[in-house]
Amino acid sequence: DQQVKQNSPSLSVQEGRISILNCDYTNSMFDYFLWYKKYPAEGPTFLISISSIKDKNEDGRFTVFLNKSAKHLSLHIVPSQPGDSAVYFCAASARTGFQKLVFGTGTRLLVSP
Amino acid sequence: EADIYQTPRYLVIGTGKKITLECSQTMGHDKMYWYQQDPGMELHLIHYSYGVNSTEKGDLSSESTVSRIRTEHFPLTLESARPSHTSQYLCASGFGGHNQPQHFGDGTRLSIL
C-alpha cells in the first residue's frame, strides 16, 4: 500500500509559466516532507523540504505548500525553466522509528522553450 | 553540494557472480542508506545504518548484505547475482536528526545476465 502518491506521471509546461507538482500521503504520522529532483543517470538531488508545523516554505523559485487536513503537498516552480525538466519525487518521514523516507513514484516535468 | 560517491556507475555481469557495490561519503554523516529503484517506480529502502557496526534491513526484502566498518564507507554485497537483482541501487547519507534531508549518490545501474 503506497503511503505517498504522485498521481500525475508527467507534466508539460511552457518556459516562464508556473509548474505545480502534487503529492498526497496517507500516513498521519508523517511530519516532514521533501522534494527531490532527479536527472537521467544521476541520483536524486534534495530540493526543498517542509516541516508539519509550517504550511509553506519558499526557496527562490521553489515553494512547497502543505495542507495537513487534506494530507496533500504541492511544489510550485515559478518561473519554470527548461533546466527544470527532470523527474520530481515527493518523500515523507515520521518522527517515530528510524525516520526513514517514504517516496512517491515521481512526476516527470518537461519545460519547453 | 553533497559528497557521496558510488562505484561502479554501471555493471553488467553474469549470473552467479559475487558483486560489491561501493558507497563512500565525505560529510561525516552518521546515517547511511541503500535504496533500490526500478524504472518508473518509487525508491525502496533495503538497508540502513545508524553508524559504525550498525546495519539494519529496510522495508524491501533483499538478498544483499551490507557492512559499516568505517563511518564513511557502506558497501553492499550480493554473494551470487541473479537476473532478479537487475535494478538501480542508490546510496544515501544524512545527519542523525529528524527534519534532515538525505543526500544521494548517482547510483549503480546493475544488469545481471
Side-chain angles (χ1 to χ4, degrees):
Chain A
D1 180 35
Q2 266 195 293
Q3 299 183 65
V4 177
K5 298 179 184 178
Q6 294 178 256
N7 293 317
S8 298
S10 63
L11 175 68
S12 292
V13 171
Q14 279 196 311
E15 181 178 7
R17 307 293 289 267
I18 185 171
S19 295
I20 299 176
L21 296 98
N22 294 304
C23 178
D24 297 295
Y25 62 96
T26 58
N27 189 341
S28 57
M29 298 299 291
F30 288 149
D31 63 352
Y32 179 55
F33 304 89
L34 310 87
W35 284 95
Y36 284 85
K37 178 171 72 173
K38 187 179 186 298
Y39 292 118
E42 294 184 11
T45 301
F46 170 69
L47 197 56
I48 192 169
S49 64
I50 188 167
S51 165
S52 61
I53 62 173
K54 296 184 176 182
D55 53 19
K56 176 183 173 181
N57 188 28
E58 193 171 350
D59 183 0
R61 296 186 297 115
F62 302 91
T63 302
V64 55
F65 294 92
L66 176 62
N67 182 333
K68 290 185 288 294
S69 61
K71 293 190 176 69
H72 176 85
L73 64 155
S74 61
L75 175 68
H76 293 211
I77 306 173
V78 184
S80 300
Q81 300 173 354
D84 296 328
S85 297
V87 178
Y88 289 78
F89 290 95
C90 171
S93 73
R95 181 172 296 277
T96 57
F98 182 71
Q99 300 135 28
K100 65 178 183 180
L101 291 183
V102 179
F103 284 85
T105 53
T107 296
R108 184 177 302 276
L109 174 66
L110 177 62
V111 181
S112 53
Chain B
E1 181 132 348
D3 294 321
I4 180 164
Y5 307 100
Q6 290 187 245
T7 57
R9 293 292 312 279
Y10 304 92
L11 180 61
V12 180
I13 200 165
T15 298
K17 301 291 187 183
K18 180 178 179 178
I19 300 166
T20 298
L21 307 184
E22 300 288 349
C23 176
S24 294
Q25 51 96 5
T26 59
M27 296 166 285
H29 288 158
D30 291 327
K31 290 184 175 177
M32 295 189 74
Y33 315 79
W34 277 102
Y35 291 86
Q36 185 174 341
Q37 186 190 23
D38 293 321
M41 304 296 288
E42 63 268 46
L43 282 71
H44 288 287
L45 182 68
I46 53 174
H47 296 285
Y48 60 94
S49 168
Y50 289 100
V52 171
N53 294 327
S54 151
T55 61
E56 303 286 345
K57 289 194 176 293
D59 297 328
L60 184 67
S61 175
S62 174
E63 293 168 347
S64 58
T65 58
V66 292
S67 62
R68 189 92 183 274
I69 298 173
R70 304 196 313 267
T71 298
E72 64 270 20
H73 193 215
F74 192 40
L76 179 146
T77 299
L78 280 163
E79 289 293 333
S80 180
R82 296 208 301 265
S84 61
H85 297 141
T86 295
S87 189
Q88 183 176 40
Y89 294 83
L90 290 157
C91 180
S93 70
F95 288 114
H98 192 43
N99 292 3
Q100 295 287 334
Q102 295 175 21
H103 300 280
F104 284 82
D106 284 337
T108 294
R109 189 166 294 281
L110 179 63
S111 294
I112 310 300
L113 305 178

